[in-house]
Amino acid sequence: MITQKSLRSQIIEVVWQLIIDGKIKPNEPLREIHLADMLNVSRTPLREALQQLELEGIVKSEPRKGFRLSDLSEEELKEIYPLRAKLESYALELSGIPSPEQIDELISINHKMDTSNDPKELVELDEIWHGLLISNCKNKSLMKMIKMLHRQSQRYEYAYMDFGNMVKFSISQHAGIIEYLKKGQLKEASILFAENNMVGMDALINSLKLKHNN
Amino acid sequence: MITQKSLRSQIIEVVWQLIIDGKIKPNEPLREIHLADMLNVSRTPLREALQQLELEGIVKSEPRKGFRLSDLSEEELKEIYPLRAKLESYALELSGIPSPEQIDELISINHKMDTSNDPKELVELDEIWHGLLISNCKNKSLMKMIKMLHRQSQRYEYAYMDFGNMVKFSISQHAGIIEYLKKGQLKEASILFAENNMVGMDALINSLKLKHNN
DNA sequence: TATATTAATATTGTATACAATATACAGTAT
DNA sequence: ATACTGTATATTGTATACAATATTAATATA
């Protein structure tokens, strides 16, 4: 079956790329006409796309003033990550122990992370790893929220990708989670998973502070 | 004609009223032209409103087929309420002990619930009570998600308002939460708050099953 | 020069127009 | 009668047009 992707969702992805590539800076206004011309679409689907990104917390808007890219702040970071930790950890509990094939895949991705030193690739692999770990979760509302939080946290990750040696530690935590899962210790795995998210946050806070002090 | 303000948000509220008043039935298509004419607005802001409701999980859409009101299901109910329980309980922990004035207000609302026997009013009061309890929470992302879940759960509450004697029990739980808060036992209060949400779910499941069996 | 005021321009919010697709229906063949 | 095919109608998706507001530039004035 041929499925036509809606213009709106395509626009969202393109704008999202502009954002994580730093082509649009935090707090920068997103002028509709300019963007629409740039993407060769009309304002109508563009506005719909931006409104969705606003619901997802990426973009903000004031009446009659239009959209602008949201700021990045330590405060928001400290809101998002603990929430993400709680929700992902809950999602893992609901997912149950992954299948052997999934565990193999988790190991494989984690290995790739260990050998990679491209920060952007690391962000992507970590995202995939987290997604796979909870992919059996059937709670759609929960998954939707996690997806929203992923977008938000990825902005920080792409902006402050200088993780330093936290990566190694995070990878070891992944390994630890996998070990628990192999032994069927779901609860322990989910607790460690939450910690893993918090470690990611700490790394980002460090990078953020470093960058800010320059 | 709707008065001049923020048209989109006004449309959302009007459509929302149509939904909770049962003027639109679950799974019923929402034809844009028809609705737009009815509200004396154009399709553009109406579509934007419907898209927001879709993001909030109230409405769904398929490409080229338009919007329809989401179904109500026991399955979804069992997704939403535990999530709501987790998030509200977390929000209470972050809120800290309410001020004496807030506690007085919580007592007062709970008392009103005790004397009311209008189901619709009960739903509204319970909503207000929950909102007030966590109103000190500063985590905007968390509050946004809770707001989304409130909309979703309210659909169930308005549709199956025949709570029976669960109301009395819920009110007693509220009283219990207040007692904990007065004693500064935040953690205990938040645990009971989660239970309170789950009791609400159980009541709804009962009503849902009863209605379904007729 | 700096500030206030007003005109010009740009931008958003909403309505309408047009194009693409889906749905409903009539007519025909089996 | 039923299933099928083509056509008419309705509906959505996208683009454009217009009106209301915000922003910028220009001018006048102290």
Side-chain angles (χ1 to χ4, degrees):
Chain A
M1 164 131 91
I2 305 160
T3 165
Q4 163 125 307
K5 249 197 268 170
S6 78
L7 200 45
R8 190 174 96 225
S9 63
Q10 290 181 68
I11 293 173
I12 289 175
E13 285 316 308
V14 174
V15 173
W16 174 241
Q17 282 303 320
L18 291 175
I19 292 172
I20 63 177
D21 288 348
K23 299 271 171 50
I24 307 171
K25 297 279 184 298
N27 213 38
E28 185 180 323
L30 302 166
R31 269 164 297 135
E32 296 174 9
I33 301 168
H34 176 249
L35 256 179
D37 284 355
M38 181 184 231
L39 308 182
N40 272 304
V41 296
S42 74
R43 282 174 56 216
T44 310
L46 174 66
R47 277 174 64 90
E48 294 178 350
L50 292 178
Q51 276 162 24
Q52 175 158 345
L53 286 174
E54 183 176 16
L55 266 287
E56 293 182 16
I58 306 300
V59 151
K60 63 188 173 190
S61 77
E62 287 175 276
R64 289 277 166 202
K65 292 205 159 191
F67 297 93
R68 45 181 64 222
L69 187 52
S70 295
D71 263 325
L72 298 176
S73 70
E74 189 178 336
E75 292 73 33
E76 193 191 50
L77 222 165
K78 285 176 175 168
E79 284 184 11
I80 291 171
Y81 272 79
L83 195 51
R84 183 181 153 160
K86 264 207 149 50
L87 293 185
E88 283 198 349
S89 158
Y90 180 41
L92 177 52
E93 287 175 42
L94 294 180
S95 295
I97 303 288
S99 71
E101 295 77 30
Q102 288 174 322
I103 289 188
D104 286 345
E105 184 67 10
L106 286 169
I107 292 171
S108 156
I109 296 169
N110 204 38
H111 198 73
K112 235 186 232 169
M113 287 182 71
D114 206 11
T115 57
S116 164
N117 43 13
D118 172 21
K120 192 167 180 181
E121 190 188 40
L122 274 167
V123 171
E124 283 161 9
L125 287 172
D126 191 60
E127 166 76 8
I128 293 170
W129 197 89
H130 280 240
L132 178 55
L133 184 60
I134 60 178
S135 59
N136 293 342
C137 176
K138 295 283 180 292
N139 190 321
K140 284 176 195 167
S141 309
L142 174 56
M143 294 305 275
K144 201 164 159 184
M145 291 184 173
I146 289 174
K147 225 164 264 170
M148 271 181 55
L149 287 172
H150 274 196
R151 266 257 167 90
Q152 289 194 269
S153 39
Q154 273 192 61
R155 268 195 78 201
Y156 287 89
E157 290 167 11
Y158 281 115
Y160 306 104
M161 285 189 295
D162 180 24
F163 304 120
N165 54 6
M166 284 295 188
V167 176
K168 293 286 173 214
F169 187 62
S170 182
I171 290 170
S172 76
Q173 283 180 316
H174 287 181
I177 292 166
I178 292 170
E179 283 312 306
Y180 278 133
L181 292 173
K182 276 183 177 170
K183 289 187 279 181
Q185 297 179 281
L186 186 58
K187 185 68 188 170
E188 287 80 1
S190 85
I191 291 170
L192 185 49
F193 193 30
E195 283 173 24
N196 179 240
N197 268 311
M198 297 308 279
V199 163
M201 176 180 78
D202 291 335
L204 284 169
I205 291 177
N206 278 337
S207 306
L208 191 148
K209 280 181 174 161
L210 276 173
K211 252 195 181 172
H212 195 270
N213 288 350
N214 291 352
Chain B
M1 169 74 154
I2 298 176
T3 56
Q4 307 246 11
K5 224 169 90 184
S6 168
L7 207 40
R8 192 174 96 225
S9 61
Q10 287 183 82
I11 293 173
I12 290 176
E13 285 316 308
V14 174
V15 173
W16 175 241
Q17 283 302 320
L18 291 174
I19 292 172
I20 63 177
D21 289 346
K23 299 270 170 49
I24 308 172
K25 298 278 184 302
N27 214 37
E28 186 180 322
L30 303 166
R31 269 164 297 134
E32 296 174 9
I33 300 170
H34 175 249
L35 256 179
D37 283 356
M38 182 183 232
L39 308 182
N40 272 307
V41 295
S42 74
R43 283 175 56 217
T44 311
L46 174 65
R47 278 174 64 89
E48 294 177 350
L50 293 178
Q51 276 162 23
Q52 175 158 345
L53 286 173
E54 183 176 17
L55 265 288
E56 292 182 15
I58 306 301
V59 150
K60 64 187 173 189
S61 77
E62 287 174 277
R64 289 276 167 203
K65 292 203 158 191
F67 296 92
R68 44 181 65 222
L69 187 53
S70 296
D71 263 324
L72 297 176
S73 70
E74 188 180 338
E75 195 192 350
E76 193 192 50
L77 223 165
K78 285 177 175 167
E79 283 184 13
I80 292 170
Y81 273 79
L83 195 51
R84 184 182 151 160
K86 263 205 150 54
L87 293 187
E88 283 197 348
S89 158
Y90 179 40
L92 178 53
E93 288 175 44
L94 294 181
S95 294
I97 303 288
S99 72
E101 296 76 29
Q102 289 172 322
I103 289 187
D104 287 344
E105 182 69 10
L106 287 168
I107 293 170
S108 156
I109 296 170
N110 204 37
H111 199 73
K112 235 186 230 168
M113 288 182 70
D114 206 12
T115 57
S116 165
N117 43 12
D118 171 20
K120 192 167 178 179
E121 190 188 39
L122 274 168
V123 171
E124 283 161 8
L125 287 172
D126 190 60
E127 167 76 9
I128 293 170
W129 198 89
H130 279 241
L132 178 55
L133 184 60
I134 60 177
S135 59
N136 292 343
C137 176
K138 294 282 178 293
N139 189 322
K140 284 178 196 165
S141 310
L142 173 56
M143 294 305 276
K144 202 163 159 183
M145 291 184 173
I146 290 174
K147 226 164 262 171
M148 273 182 54
L149 288 172
H150 275 197
R151 267 257 166 90
Q152 290 193 268
S153 39
Q154 273 193 63
R155 268 196 78 202
Y156 286 89
E157 289 167 12
Y158 280 117
Y160 305 103
M161 284 188 295
D162 178 25
F163 304 121
N165 53 6
M166 283 295 189
V167 176
K168 294 284 171 216
F169 187 63
S170 183
I171 290 170
S172 76
Q173 283 181 316
H174 288 181
I177 292 166
I178 292 170
E179 283 312 307
Y180 278 133
L181 292 173
K182 277 182 176 169
K183 289 187 280 182
Q185 296 178 281
L186 186 59
K187 184 68 188 170
E188 287 79 2
S190 85
I191 291 170
L192 185 49
F193 193 31
E195 284 172 25
N196 179 241
N197 268 311
M198 297 307 279
V199 163
M201 176 181 76
D202 291 335
L204 285 169
I205 291 177
N206 278 336
S207 306
L208 191 148
K209 279 179 174 163
L210 277 172
K211 254 196 179 173
H212 195 270
N213 290 349
N214 293 350

